[in-house]
Amino acid sequence: MDEQKVLSIKGLLDDTPEEYLSHKEKYENSIRKSVLFYKTLHSTEDENMSVDEKTKLNFRNIVTSAIFKDNSPFMLHNSMFIPTIMGQGTDEQREYWMKRAKNMEIIGTYAQTELGHGTFIRGLETQATYDPDTEEFVLHSPVLSSYKWWPGGLAHTANYCIVMARLYIKGKSHGIHPFMVQIRDEETHMPLPGIKLGEIGAKLGFNTVNNGFLGFENHRISRDRMLMKNAQVLKDGTFVAGSNSKLTYGTMVYVRVLIVSNMANMLAKAVTIALRYSAIRRQSQPKPDEPEPQILDYVTQQHKLFIAIASSHAFYMNAMWLWEIYYSVSLQLASGKLDNLPELHALACCLKPLSTIDATAMIEKCRLACGGHGYMLSANLAQTYGLATAAYTYEGENTVLLLQAARSLVKAWVGHVKGRPLKGTMAYLAGDSTVKAWDGSIDGIIQSFKVVAIRKISSVVKILQDYEKSGLSPEDAWNKASVFLTAASEAHGRAVLLSVYKSEMDKRAAVLSPPLRKVLLQLVDLYVTYWALEKVGDMLLYASITDKDVDELQRRYIELLAAIRPNAVGLVDAFDFRDEILNSTLGAYDGRAYERLMEEAMKSPLNAEPVNQTFHKYLKPFMRGKL
Ligand SMILES: CC/C=C\C/C=C\C/C=C\C/C=C\C=C\C(=O)SCCNC(=O)CCNC(=O)[C@H](O)C(C)(C)COP(=O)(O)OP(=O)(O)OC[C@H]1O[C@@H](n2cnc3c(N)ncnc32)[C@H](O)[C@@H]1OP(=O)(O)O
Ligand SMILES: Cc1cc2nc3c(=O)[nH]c(=O)nc-3n(C[C@H](O)[C@H](O)[C@H](O)COP(=O)(O)OP(=O)(O)OC[C@H]3O[C@@H](n4cnc5c(N)ncnc54)[C@H](O)[C@@H]3O)c2cc1C
């Protein structure tokens, strides 16, 4: 592929930094780039291309897809619209809609959340009433709170939409089901009759995803537009329920798993930027007769950043492990075997919250570690934070998901006490809940995290039971204990994150070169030791650690920082982000941060002229006392 084609990637990037565009221009620019990106991404290999050209084409596709997947108006098309067709459509529906969706003949989104409900899916108010006379569903938004609100791409981009609506047949509600709805004319792109569409306005981030609102006024769709893999409505209006009503929620489980891997990626980008900058930035003079040191040599800076490298690895390993479980459960669901769905749901309800909580906090720490220049939008740390922190809320708000996980943990524990066997990732709950003596080994610390989880789960169950014995209803007892329920879920999630990271690395260690094995296992040690110190209260309470052990842990932690320091830049370079993807004045591979900061500054529209017109219009008369 000639250099010109590679430059087309640069054509995808902006001459005018996005920060200086209006809200409307940002969206329009993002559509331009997304269309170019899809054309680039889907430019096919022709048979007479050399191997080298095919390799370069594939590489270019990887680069372009990495640049645009996070903030594009097409985001929901790929991440939810297509997966829902795959997961909720019949074979015939999949056959028809997948072809159109994959070819980008249609652009879709996923509309579940409403102005009045996001978490509580069973409270959704959009109505889909079946009319057997015409064999149609009538979609209607009865009140303002029933308007769909938030779906990405919904405002001006998508012309089709999966609508999660409450199904009514002969006045009876049959719960929430997915409906394929055309919302705009395929030629004119005008909203169809009975459909109100618009954009929800500027947000903390995601400002080119085109999140919108959607209201229906008795809009009719044919019966075959209900995605009927999991439940059906026959022509005469007979409702055929699925094997499990929660199969309708399958897309959410899929995306929650996707988010764990995405947090690994987000955090890797942020720590690449912050660590590279820390390698070139020199500041202060602790030793009078020596030059200013790299700020990366300050141990406090290493403490801020190295855990982010290890956490990105940990999220990636856990995500790959979780994907394997997701695929095997999906195959089981396809054959009607549902009994492993609850565990997958509980795992996703732990790992999605913990990965987004940690990634959000650590990305912000990466920004703070870059001082004033980290505060520049051209550093691309604030925007990365904005993207990551959204994941705390979407796809299941974190508190709510941790409470969902607690639901499964409480049921598992109560069953265990009654003699029911525990299985899968909860099997350890049957283990010994007392730590004989603190074992400062990595495996010993991970075992201590499991003991903490066992003790927190068992104690919160006791609290629930005491509340109920005191006369509280199960619901009130649950609410009253909910702070400790989320803490128990977090403890379980920590134990899973740590043990999976360690075991997945151990599996891979055998095939690594000795130097690489040493560095990667140092990161595992750092991760486990960091969290033991972060959770030292739990360790003291449940894991019989002594103050002497804590002192030893602290010393070991500092030694690990020193051991990792020589490889720190190499570890972030190994994430292998191109400058175009990092899109950061501070994180570029060549380390020319100051020159790039100045180059970006000169792109500010204000720098187009030495004197702004407000001097003559306002300032001068003001300063002359003439205003
Ligand atoms: C920059 C980033 C770039 C890319 C990132 C990658 C992808 C991003 C893609 C998209 C992001 C952008 C857009 C975001 C889209 C959205 O946000 S879509 C909307 C998402 N909404 C939600 O997730 C709603 C969350 N709420 C719920 O899931 C549920 O309402 C609930 C919280 C679980 C509570 O529901 P309910 O009250 O009905 O449930 P319970 O009574 O508590 O439990 C009932 C039983 O059902 C089981 N259950 C619940 N949910 C599921 C599920 N999903 N799967 C399987 N089973 C489920 C639950 O365990 C109970 O079982 P029981 O204990 O046996 O009774
Ligand atoms: C950037 C972004 C993109 C999005 N994209 C889409 C999209 O494409 N499609 C779509 O359908 N939706 C989308 N959403 C909406 C998202 O799914 C919802 O915001 C999310 O499910 C949370 O619901 P909510 O906003 O109603 O918050 P609420 O549920 O109202 O949460 C508010 C507070 O109430 C608490 N709370 C709620 N219920 C409980 C409970 N049972 N127990 C304890 N505390 C509780 C929460 O913990 C939280 O603190 C998007 C959201 C964002 C931020």
Side-chain angles (χ1 to χ4, degrees), residues 75-76 79-80 109-120 148-153 162 164 200 203 205-206 209 211 252 256 386-387 389-401 403 478-479 482:
M75 176 185 186
L76 267 293
S79 59
M80 296 199 81
T109 184
Y110 179 88
Q112 174 173 295
T113 303
E114 295 171 356
L115 202 53
H117 291 93
T119 289
F120 189 50
K148 292 301 177 185
W149 189 277
W150 269 113
I162 303 283
M164 301 298 280
I200 65 171
K203 304 170 290 282
F206 268 106
V209 170
N211 302 92
M252 290 181 282
R256 289 165 190 161
L387 285 175
T389 194
Y392 185 105
T393 304
Y394 64 55
E395 224 49 65
E397 195 276 336
N398 281 352
T399 304
V400 164
L401 293 189
L403 288 169
W478 182 268
N479 187 34
S482 53

Side-chain angles (χ1 to χ4, degrees), residues 605-620:
L606 279 172
N607 287 331
E609 57 204 356
V611 178
N612 182 274
Q613 49 102 12
T614 52
F615 172 74
H616 300 289
K617 201 167 175 183
Y618 301 107
L619 278 179
K620 188 172 180 181

Side-chain angles (χ1 to χ4, degrees), residues 337-557:
K337 192 170 172 292
L338 304 176
D339 49 17
N340 289 324
L341 177 60
E343 185 186 12
L344 171 64
H345 170 52
L347 271 175
C349 285
C350 265
L351 295 184
K352 181 267 186 185
L354 290 191
S355 62
T356 53
I357 290 166
D358 290 358
T360 301
M362 289 176 190
I363 290 167
E364 174 63 353
K365 209 186 285 184
C366 286
R367 181 185 73 77
L368 294 170
C370 294
H373 299 329
Y375 197 67
M376 296 298 296
L377 288 178
S378 68
N380 200 17
L381 287 165
Q383 298 91 317
T384 305
Y385 172 84
L387 285 175
T389 194
Y392 185 105
T393 304
Y394 64 55
E395 224 49 65
E397 195 276 336
N398 281 352
T399 304
V400 164
L401 293 189
L402 287 172
L403 288 169
Q404 274 295 296
R407 195 183 162 107
S408 302
L409 291 165
V410 165
K411 285 170 75 173
W413 182 260
V414 169
H416 163 61
V417 168
K418 290 176 180 167
R420 275 204 300 272
L422 288 159
K423 59 176 188 168
T425 48
M426 293 188 193
Y428 78 90
L429 295 179
D432 186 350
S433 64
T434 53
V435 179
K436 307 286 177 294
W438 173 257
D439 166 358
S441 70
I442 294 303
D443 287 332
I445 295 173
I446 293 172
Q447 179 52 33
S448 298
F449 271 92
K450 291 179 178 177
V451 168
V452 168
I454 294 170
R455 298 286 293 274
K456 286 196 171 189
I457 293 162
S458 56
S459 64
V460 76
V461 169
K462 176 84 172 53
I463 292 171
L464 281 170
Q465 290 166 344
D466 290 348
Y467 282 150
E468 289 188 39
K469 277 186 199 130
S470 72
L472 283 185
S473 69
E475 294 77 12
D476 287 342
W478 182 268
N479 187 34
K480 199 162 182 174
S482 53
V483 170
F484 302 108
L485 285 164
T486 54
S489 292
E490 194 215 336
H492 173 65
R494 287 278 161 232
V496 171
L497 272 171
L498 289 161
S499 51
V500 168
Y501 180 25
K502 172 72 167 53
S503 61
E504 290 298 304
M505 274 312 299
D506 286 347
K507 277 186 215 164
R508 290 162 173 79
V511 297
L512 299 175
S513 67
L516 182 57
R517 181 186 309 133
K518 182 179 174 200
V519 175
L520 294 182
L521 292 181
Q522 281 170 345
L523 286 174
V524 176
D525 291 3
L526 182 88
Y527 189 75
V528 175
T529 310
Y530 174 92
W531 280 106
L533 291 168
E534 284 291 299
K535 299 292 180 183
V536 70
D538 289 338
M539 296 293 141
L540 286 164
L541 197 55
Y542 300 118
S544 68
I545 193 172
T546 67
D547 52 355
K548 185 173 168 301
D549 299 322
V550 174
D551 185 65
E552 150 62 25
L553 263 188
Q554 288 168 337
R555 293 168 192 270
R556 183 162 80 192
Y557 178 74

Side-chain angles (χ1 to χ4, degrees), residues 281-331:
R281 177 70 168 183
R282 290 178 177 276
Q283 198 67 204
S284 307
Q285 196 173 31
K287 296 175 185 173
D289 53 352
E290 289 192 12
E292 294 184 74
Q294 294 164 288
I295 58 174
L296 191 53
D297 286 332
Y298 292 118
V299 176
T300 48
Q301 192 79 353
Q302 296 165 14
H303 174 57
K304 293 171 190 173
L305 299 180
F306 293 1
I307 185 58
I309 303 173
S311 299
S312 177
H313 288 199
F315 299 157
Y316 179 78
M317 294 292 175
N318 274 269
M320 294 308 111
W321 169 80
L322 192 53
W323 274 124
E324 291 305 315
I325 296 173
Y326 176 82
Y327 290 132
S328 78
V329 171
S330 300
L331 289 175

